[in-house]
Each structure stands twice: as C-alpha cells, then as structure tokens.
C-alpha cells in the first residue's frame, strides 16, 4: 500500500472536454474521451479505441437476416477517478495550509 503518490500531477494530465455522441448529436455533455483518460487512469477504462463488433440485423418479424459492423465504444468507470480526485484535494489542502502558515 502506497499513500505517497502524486495525484495532482496525474490529475493535470486528464483532459476534460465538451462533446456530443454520434447517436445523439443534439446533446452536449462534459466528460473525458476514454482513450485519452486511459493514458492517465487505465484502470478506469474498458474496451479498445476504435474497436468494431458485429451486430445482428433483424427483419420486421424479428428474424436475423445478417450482420453489420458497428462501433464497440470504450467506456469509463467514473468511480475509479474518485481516489485521484480525493488525493488531489488533500494535496491542494496541504499546500493551502502551508501557504497560510
């Protein structure tokens, strides 16, 4: 167990962005691009950048008529960013306290 790692430096490497999803171009969200976040907090990201997968195609009766290749998006487990955020707050609090002394 290591309590001495530098969270602030890691946190500053994250690149928050505003973006929309291809499937919902009218809705803008704040977040991270998974492949960028994976460079800093790899344990928070699952999937592979630009991965594709086959998806069944159905007719109007629900029968499979073939497959099509679709994006298999990466995902971010936001909860795994929390320790980095808390540790950064603790580091910043210590710096503020030192400056006030």
């Amino acid at each position: 167990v290591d309590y001495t790692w530098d969270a602030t430096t890691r946190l500053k490497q994250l690149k928050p962005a505003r973006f929309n999803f291809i499937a919902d171009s009218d809705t803008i969200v704040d977040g991270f691009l998974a492949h960028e976040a994976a460079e800093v907090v790899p344990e928070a990201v699952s999937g592979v950048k630009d991965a594709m997968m086959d998806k069944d195609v159905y007719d109007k009766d629900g029968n499979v008529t073939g497959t099509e290749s679709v994006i298999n998006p990466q995902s971010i487990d936001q909860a795994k960013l929390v320790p980095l955020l808390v540790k950064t707050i603790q580091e910043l609090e210590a710096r503020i306290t030192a400056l006030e002394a």
Side-chain angles (χ1 to χ4, degrees):
V1 177
D2 180 10
Y3 297 103
T4 62
W5 50 282
D6 179 4
T8 304
T9 298
R10 286 182 66 203
L11 183 78
K12 289 176 12 181
Q13 293 174 34
L14 288 172
K15 298 190 288 188
R18 297 197 70 165
F19 56 90
N20 57 357
F21 293 98
I22 293 169
D24 186 7
S25 61
D26 294 332
T27 303
I28 297 173
V29 297
D30 298 327
F32 300 99
L33 301 182
H35 67 278
E36 293 176 352
E39 295 174 11
V40 183
V41 190
E43 64 274 16
V45 178
S46 61
V48 176
K49 181 182 184 305
D50 298 328
M52 301 295 286
M53 66 179 177
D54 289 332
K55 176 183 172 188
D56 289 338
V57 176
Y58 298 89
D59 65 16
K60 63 180 176 146
D61 298 320
N63 301 310
V64 176
T65 60
T67 61
E68 66 179 340
S69 187
V70 297
I71 295 171
N72 186 9
Q74 289 179 289
S75 63
I76 299 177
D77 181 349
Q78 304 286 345
K80 292 188 177 170
L81 299 176
V82 172
L84 183 61
L85 297 171
V86 170
K87 179 94 166 73
T88 299
I89 291 168
Q90 291 172 340
E91 291 170 5
L92 294 173
E93 176 63 23
R95 290 173 58 193
I96 291 168
T97 300
L99 290 170
E100 291 175 338

